[in-house]
Amino acid sequence: MISIVYFPKIGAPQLNLPFSALRSALADREGLVWVALEEPDEEEITRVMVNQFHFHPLAVEDCQSDGYQTPKLDDYGEYLFLVVQSVTSGGLLEGDTTRELNIFLGDHYLVSSSLRKVTAVEKLRKRLERDERIYQNGSDFLCHALLDQVVDEFIPHIDQLEEEIDFLEEAVLSNPDPQTLQRILRLKRYSMNLRRVISPQREVINRLCRDDFPMIDPHSQMYFRDVYDHLVRIFDMLDGIRDMTTSALEVYLNATSLRLNEVMKALTIVSTIFLPLSFVAGVYGMNFHYMPELGWRWGYPLVWLVFVLIAIGMLGYFRKRRWF
Amino acid sequence: MISIVYFPKIGAPQLNLPFSALRSALADREGLVWVALEEPDEEEITRVMVNQFHFHPLAVEDCQSDGYQTPKLDDYGEYLFLVVQSVTSGGLLEGDTTRELNIFLGDHYLVSSSLRKVTAVEKLRKRLERDERIYQNGSDFLCHALLDQVVDEFIPHIDQLEEEIDFLEEAVLSNPDPQTLQRILRLKRYSMNLRRVISPQREVINRLCRDDFPMIDPHSQMYFRDVYDHLVRIFDMLDGIRDMTTSALEVYLNATSLRLNEVMKALTIVSTIFLPLSFVAGVYGMNFHYMPELGWRWGYPLVWLVFVLIAIGMLGYFRKRRWF
Amino acid sequence: MISIVYFPKIGAPQLNLPFSALRSALADREGLVWVALEEPDEEEITRVMVNQFHFHPLAVEDCQSDGYQTPKLDDYGEYLFLVVQSVTSGGLLEGDTTRELNIFLGDHYLVSSSLRKVTAVEKLRKRLERDERIYQNGSDFLCHALLDQVVDEFIPHIDQLEEEIDFLEEAVLSNPDPQTLQRILRLKRYSMNLRRVISPQREVINRLCRDDFPMIDPHSQMYFRDVYDHLVRIFDMLDGIRDMTTSALEVYLNATSLRLNEVMKALTIVSTIFLPLSFVAGVYGMNFHYMPELGWRWGYPLVWLVFVLIAIGMLGYFRKRRWF
Amino acid sequence: MISIVYFPKIGAPQLNLPFSALRSALADREGLVWVALEEPDEEEITRVMVNQFHFHPLAVEDCQSDGYQTPKLDDYGEYLFLVVQSVTSGGLLEGDTTRELNIFLGDHYLVSSSLRKVTAVEKLRKRLERDERIYQNGSDFLCHALLDQVVDEFIPHIDQLEEEIDFLEEAVLSNPDPQTLQRILRLKRYSMNLRRVISPQREVINRLCRDDFPMIDPHSQMYFRDVYDHLVRIFDMLDGIRDMTTSALEVYLNATSLRLNEVMKALTIVSTIFLPLSFVAGVYGMNFHYMPELGWRWGYPLVWLVFVLIAIGMLGYFRKRRWF
Amino acid sequence: MISIVYFPKIGAPQLNLPFSALRSALADREGLVWVALEEPDEEEITRVMVNQFHFHPLAVEDCQSDGYQTPKLDDYGEYLFLVVQSVTSGGLLEGDTTRELNIFLGDHYLVSSSLRKVTAVEKLRKRLERDERIYQNGSDFLCHALLDQVVDEFIPHIDQLEEEIDFLEEAVLSNPDPQTLQRILRLKRYSMNLRRVISPQREVINRLCRDDFPMIDPHSQMYFRDVYDHLVRIFDMLDGIRDMTTSALEVYLNATSLRLNEVMKALTIVSTIFLPLSFVAGVYGMNFHYMPELGWRWGYPLVWLVFVLIAIGMLGYFRKRRWF
């Protein structure tokens, strides 16, 4: 789907420009055009990127390929080509990975493209209707608004991760079963994958706010700097989650080991009490003809006394050793 | 709450300037004004930052937002905007995290703002009354005094952490229970969080003492350098605490493992002594008609001799193996 | 085997130029010559590299030596010398390591050489027949096409590694036997070896797209940049595989430990039930003359009641402890 | 204690200049003055540093404060201010940490100060009496001599650490008791603390031999380079000690685990032999009226044969499994 | 021992120049002189380095000291001073550490010195006799030949390490005894020590092939680059060895843990079968007067049936649990 928005220098923005009017809109170098390709097919990509904008074949190829792309920034002189990764609201931790968003930033136009649905694009379109500041400051500010939206989408995901780790920290203490381990490891892997996405993305934004590009106004760089700060914070939070996950894993493994200790103590206490008792009982079960104790009047009660003494002695010893 | 302090070039400082006199005080470019916003509401922030100082919207937004902010330094040309993190005296390790302090440093003014109570601001205000050196050296020196106070607040916290680790090193040896593990892991997490705060804060101060800013006098940089050295030291101490925590964890885990060993030895000693004894007793409890030993006169004492010999032999073997 | 391809400025490419025509082809500085040495013997290397091209002895030596070479880029002024590592399709994880490909990139020629079969060379030769873009853009573009092919060969290998790790993640849960451990460790080692190859290779390509070389056109650098991005992605994927391998190892080790726990619980449950029961049975197996219980009418059923009560009590205790 | 040494351009050095003559000695800009403050009180620091040399208040404050200071180098234009850490001979590993030495290096003077006794200062004073090369090459060479002495004091400490690790490597094999663990962990912590001191100290010396300071002659830099090389070597040695400590810890933990294995084997061997034997004995201890074996003439010897066969079978099985 | 080789510009090389002729040989600035000090005494060092070449005292001191020196490169203007570490063929892993070789590289001379025998020097001397290329390209090429020889000596050592790790990978599976652990840890330490030597050595060679030194011809730098590549490869191989050692350690520790599991299973199987059996036998060994089963005609065979059923039931349970 191709949706085009045109903001002339003077006059009302046209939020649904037909494709046929794109060429004339682009000719107005004072205006601003945003072409958003959402889940486009091959033909739409060719029509916009190749026939209309004549983008570099390598960049177009990146927009067409479906595999995971590391976030990057390519400078093609007249325009910048950005690959960033976005997340969709909801559905985290369910195998849903990040989604690629490609952005071409020119002097007076912005082309965004994503093979899969990216909610940030939609949300920005809605914000355009009520906040005209977004398009009155040129293509660089519009690009900032889009990146800002993309980065903001990460926040609820990070919050969800923090809730998960809070739950797991509780769970490793109260109920350290194998499923808890599974969730810990999954969270660990997920947050490390996210780190690997955020890290180059941060670098892309950093270049936008640090390097000199003709289509980016020095005043706008402050705003990219703000997006950069958000990513730094997200990265920090992911670091914290990784640390906490490692701690949870340590508690879990220790819980397993403590449980083994507890089981072993139970076994040892029962064995060390009853093995001697059984031996004594076995002794007086022997059939020797000459065993004087067997004939004693108080032999049987005495043996019970011995039983009780052994048991008390053993229990006392364990108590001293603080085994229970 | 807005509290304004005005230090004219000549004459006594006015420690409680009313807000209405702020404009004229700022007009005196030879003087120095410090506006401190403590737990301000939206309206106070707007009144001071937007209407009076016309600070950049992004910086104002940072002052308004309540979430965790990574320490940073933004150069807006006429003023610097700093985000630093402070701690409050007391109450460490009780879920109380750091508190954000925002500082605007201009040529002849300083604006500080914090949504939650920051004790460093209060303490600096009190020091102003008895130490005029603080405000006689310009806004950069005043800013240094504030940052110095913020950094000094960390010291008692670090001391508390060191006491905790000293206690834990003792505890893992004398009483390695699960609560000790909990405290070790909590301390570890806490000190790692603190490291993540201190590290960018150090970088902020480093830029103040290294880079060229028009509102910072080269002579003052020496003082920022001093604050920087304090943060380096704090960072070093946190490194030490982390190492010691890791060691404590290792001792703890080994204590668990040693305890298991001890339990296993007790079990093994008792079993390997009494199982053979019980077997011998069982043999002479058999009911075969032709068992010559049963009829012997000294059979029973002889069996006791066997019992004793087996027990002594086993104990000797364990002694040789150094099992007890 | 020496195979020579000659692309004159005007006219059809000659895909199988005889060696005797090489000299005159090279004299045409407007054309493009690609000399591919595949599994060459000493004499062929000397004939081409020493007698014809007069390459530096050190570079020639590198082409002759059979051991592992770290990927590198040497600038000899008139030509660049590249050592890259390739993989062959199929046969991964079977002890088959990477294969060295040496490339000399001159202004209007390309010499490639590999002591062992490198499938990327063959594939590029086939693509030449149907895609003339490859040789119409000069030697740097031809070199890019070769490197692109080399890097593309890695992708199915990485996919195979990801399938292996998916299988192993499943296996550590369902069937954590020593063979699974072996495969985990082998995968870990393999992916770490691959990382060590990819990392300097990436650096070589990075220099091609960043540094200034007379034989590389600025327009071509974009294409080397594309190859570089592929390598960055491959490196990212290897990072992910390493992390997942580490997780699988953790689950495996925990499975071992859980299994020990399960075995110990079975032992403890049986022992703590039957040791007391056997003791009671032993007591009434004693031969004291005066044991009143033995004569009771209901003695035997009562003892069975005791047996059942002990067993139920123990089982209840274990249930409470959640041991089964 | 203030001790002043004055080396006039011409004539004998005056090793115990009274404080009153300091001013005139300093006026001789061709000479060289070394003021050493050893364990000074507040008043002595003020008299020398503030009243005489007018050092910067921040530097003076650093000399007065008693806490740990990270080694650093501050350039105050007319003089350099160095904070280095020294050790005292003997008494290592006994809670004795490093001791701070502050050095002011001017064009023709050197001021050293340390709140606690630093043996390097004393030793240098003694060397002055017999080696005039030290003071004939200016203040920078004298400073180098002092730093060289400070660094040399570390060597015997490192040697002591290496002896300790040699002892511990032996001990973890022959006698892996908890005290050995304690010593391993203490050594690990100590060497990591030392690393943290050496690392910034190395950086300080590196700046002395690399940067351009007016009071340091290019020829002297070679000598600072030599001190730097010593610190690099010490750092390398500490790295080696850390690695060996980690290995010792691994051997220790494995020894614990091996011991558990050995205990478990003993228990298993005894149990698996005697439990079946006891069962057989128990069978023939039953009181059924019709048990034909009991009446057999050779029943009893046959049962002994069964006992022996079971025992031999079990032992053979264990032998096959290489359990002993 | 001092051995001097003199290569005049014209004429045959003099492989054993007497010391007395050294001065005149050095006066020939067109020729090339190599002075090799092998295991020299104090007097020889003084005679050559101090009296003849007037080398800097610090460099001479480095040649005299016997302790370990980190490889380094000092630029003394007229000559370079190199400290490199060499190994001797054979005798690896037997406590034999690396041996220091000091090299002075001047415009037309090379002085090498080593307190202990370095085989690379000897080998180079032999190669001089048959390969005149070595001395016809100036002192820098001669120096390269020496360093190349030094680096080549490492290769058989690395091969030996790889054989050792191959053996150990086999051993941890077939025979994981404590001696295997010892060898793993020794190999790990050895390869880490070697890494620490190779890393700065690589840096030294890197400076030779990258920096501008008057006595090194740009053409020769290619050759130093070749030596550098060798060191990079050696470093890579050491990295691989370290990884494989870590894997071997992991397999070893897991083998210990598996063995414990196996022992525990044997114990549990035997106990859980025979404890219930013994209990049943014990029941019918009781002496109650009224035990109807004892008088049954088929009581005894029935009890055996119970025994067999219990045993089969237990074994079936274990089989289901896959315990054997």
Side-chain angles (χ1 to χ4, degrees), chain A residues 48-164:
Chain A
V48 174
M49 297 193 187
V50 181
N51 300 345
Q52 184 61 46
F53 285 96
H54 311 292
F55 289 141
H56 196 283
L58 283 172
V60 175
E61 209 178 278
D62 279 342
C63 294
Q64 287 165 330
S65 85
D66 200 30
Y68 174 75
Q69 289 257 73
T70 312
K72 66 170 180 176
L73 166 60
D74 286 348
D75 182 1
Y76 285 95
E78 270 177 61
Y79 53 89
L80 299 177
F81 175 59
L82 283 82
V83 176
V84 296
Q85 293 285 342
S86 158
V87 288
T88 44
S89 2
L92 184 74
L93 274 172
E94 271 143 28
D96 205 354
T97 49
T98 56
R99 295 174 172 197
E100 183 180 333
L101 177 65
N102 304 291
I103 301 174
F104 294 86
L105 171 60
D107 188 51
H108 65 300
Y109 63 82
L110 187 81
V111 178
S112 67
S113 167
S114 57
L115 292 183
R116 297 169 69 204
K117 196 179 195 68
V118 167
T119 49
V121 172
E122 229 166 308
K123 286 192 184 164
L124 181 61
R125 191 126 21 97
K126 274 190 196 132
R127 275 180 54 204
L128 280 177
E129 295 170 20
R130 40 170 226 276
D131 186 357
E132 55 180 22
R133 216 173 47 120
I134 295 172
Y135 53 82
Q136 281 180 339
N137 291 291
S139 64
D140 49 354
F141 196 90
L142 182 62
C143 176
H144 145 262
L146 182 52
L147 292 174
D148 194 30
Q149 193 68 48
V150 163
V151 169
D152 274 4
E153 305 273 294
F154 278 103
I155 305 285
H157 276 68
I158 304 292
D159 289 348
Q160 232 176 311
L161 295 180
E162 294 201 321
E163 268 168 48
E164 174 77 5

Side-chain angles (χ1 to χ4, degrees), chain E residues 194-236:
Chain E
L194 218 49
R195 266 173 63 96
R196 254 198 296 280
V197 172
I198 298 288
S199 177
Q201 192 134 320
R202 198 178 54 168
E203 210 30 55
V204 164
I205 310 288
N206 194 19
R207 283 188 60 199
L208 286 178
C209 67
R210 202 193 51 203
D211 291 8
D212 237 24
F213 296 113
M215 62 289 285
I216 297 185
D217 194 80
H219 289 290
S220 298
Q221 290 199 308
M222 239 354 156
Y223 290 92
F224 285 112
R225 179 72 202 265
D226 190 54
V227 178
Y228 174 74
D229 287 342
H230 279 71
L231 278 171
V232 167
R233 200 157 66 232
I234 288 172
F235 200 74
D236 271 15

